[in-house]
Amino acid sequence: MRITRFSDIGLRVLIYLAQDRASGAPVTAGEIATQFNVPLNHLVKVVAQLARAGWIDATRGRNGGLVLRADAKRLRIGAVLRELEGDAELVDCAGLDCQLQRNCILRGALAAGLRAFYDAMDGYTLADIAQGKVGEQVLVMHRSFARALQH
Amino acid sequence: MRITRFSDIGLRVLIYLAQDRASGAPVTAGEIATQFNVPLNHLVKVVAQLARAGWIDATRGRNGGLVLRADAKRLRIGAVLRELEGDAELVDCAGLDCQLQRNCILRGALAAGLRAFYDAMDGYTLADIAQGKVGEQVLVMHRSFARALQH
């Protein structure tokens, strides 16, 4: 079982933005794509969804960039994953053309399991997962990127 | 988020075997592969793991076949999924070469979420998900396969 790459990238974007930038230069999608070695076109789609959810502000143009809008201490990871994972089920019953599909009890059981997963993830806020050494590491990444741009 | 196709097939094998065969002919891997439209070589690997776990008996040869060995009322779906999913994490941190990997808090949070999922699935036994209309449908599948063999 894996969360989608889409969600995975979304969580990293939020973690990256949870630290205030020491210098004034705004964080860009290109910077995050480079830092996490993720294709920019993929990351741009994730950023658009995070912005639609109201958790980040994405401004275009010369001085544009990405800023965390949500309160990291109140943004729950279960909520983030529910949004980014969408309403896909744990099994693709229709795609598999299963003969049990119409009466399936397993399907409901898996849906209950998935809710338990999201509920457990709601026990963590963005601040929880972006704190301590993770936060320090992100600040190192911020600085290293700023230095790389100067050269 | 999806369970693996391996687990998905494993659960269907167990559901299919949870109903006693009315006729004497043993259930074969080929029959289940045909019924669920799954490649036989894939299904054989799943069957081997279910046998290793002690939940089914797989006998080779002319009168060989697959029989449920576990007590369906005691076999918990969380235990089945833990076995079939293996110890893969919800995110492939190493494969993605993430700079946060060493200090990651999210990783532990996701592991806790996964445990909550498995615990919730332990609330269901094989008997729970193989009963009622699902069981009736499986008996219809058993009979239709027996008839097809006669023609």
Side-chain angles (χ1 to χ4, degrees):
Chain A
M1 204 156 72
R2 284 267 156 88
I3 61 169
T4 60
R5 192 144 163 65
F6 194 83
S7 301
D8 180 15
I9 294 172
L11 289 169
R12 293 192 216 195
V13 168
L14 291 172
I15 291 172
Y16 198 81
L17 295 177
Q19 300 302 321
D20 280 332
R21 182 77 116 185
S23 75
V27 175
T28 63
E31 173 179 343
I32 303 181
T34 304
Q35 294 283 25
F36 290 113
N37 200 19
V38 164
L40 180 60
N41 62 348
H42 202 152
L43 191 126
V44 164
K45 287 176 195 160
V46 178
V47 159
Q49 190 161 347
L50 293 172
R52 271 197 303 274
W55 296 325
I56 67 171
D57 278 326
T59 330
R60 289 173 186 273
R62 204 188 159 93
N63 291 309
L66 309 175
V67 178
L68 185 70
R69 191 174 157 187
D71 177 351
K73 287 185 179 154
R74 298 180 63 182
L75 183 54
R76 306 211 159 266
I77 302 305
V80 173
L81 283 170
R82 276 187 202 94
E83 170 76 23
L84 297 179
E85 290 283 316
D87 48 12
E89 293 181 73
L90 284 169
V91 174
D92 177 20
C93 304
L96 296 172
D97 197 20
C98 177
Q99 289 192 56
L100 301 176
Q101 196 179 150
R102 227 155 36 103
N103 302 311
C104 193
I105 302 167
L106 175 61
R107 199 172 181 174
L110 287 169
L114 191 56
R115 281 194 297 274
F117 167 75
Y118 286 138
D119 288 351
M121 297 312 295
D122 275 334
Y124 300 86
T125 64
L126 174 57
D128 290 332
I129 66 164
Q131 67 177 352
K133 288 196 173 175
V134 174
E136 289 167 25
Q137 176 66 25
V138 167
L139 288 175
V140 169
M141 291 166 82
H142 282 194
R143 283 194 294 271
S144 72
F145 196 81
R147 267 201 306 278
L149 283 185
Q150 285 167 357
H151 288 91
Chain B
M1 203 155 73
R2 284 267 156 87
I3 61 170
T4 60
R5 191 143 163 66
F6 194 83
S7 301
D8 180 15
I9 294 172
L11 289 169
R12 292 190 216 196
V13 169
L14 292 171
I15 290 172
Y16 198 81
L17 294 177
Q19 300 302 322
D20 280 331
R21 182 76 115 185
S23 77
V27 176
T28 63
E31 173 179 343
I32 304 182
T34 305
Q35 293 283 25
F36 290 114
N37 200 17
V38 164
L40 179 60
N41 62 347
H42 202 152
L43 190 125
V44 163
K45 287 177 195 160
V46 177
V47 159
Q49 189 160 347
L50 293 173
R52 271 197 303 275
W55 297 324
I56 67 172
D57 278 326
T59 330
R60 288 173 188 273
R62 205 189 157 92
N63 291 309
L66 309 175
V67 177
L68 186 70
R69 190 174 158 188
D71 177 353
K73 287 185 178 155
R74 298 180 64 181
L75 183 55
R76 306 211 159 267
I77 302 305
V80 173
L81 283 170
R82 274 186 203 94
E83 171 75 24
L84 297 179
E85 291 283 317
D87 49 11
E89 293 182 73
L90 284 169
V91 174
D92 177 21
C93 304
L96 295 172
D97 196 21
C98 177
Q99 289 192 56
L100 301 176
Q101 195 179 151
R102 228 156 36 101
N103 301 311
C104 194
I105 302 166
L106 175 61
R107 200 172 181 174
L110 287 169
L114 191 56
R115 281 194 298 275
F117 167 75
Y118 287 137
D119 288 350
M121 297 313 295
D122 275 334
Y124 300 86
T125 64
L126 174 57
D128 290 332
I129 65 164
Q131 67 176 353
K133 290 197 171 173
V134 174
E136 288 167 26
Q137 176 66 26
V138 168
L139 288 175
V140 169
M141 291 166 81
H142 282 196
R143 283 194 293 271
S144 73
F145 195 80
R147 266 201 306 277
L149 283 185
Q150 287 166 357
H151 289 91

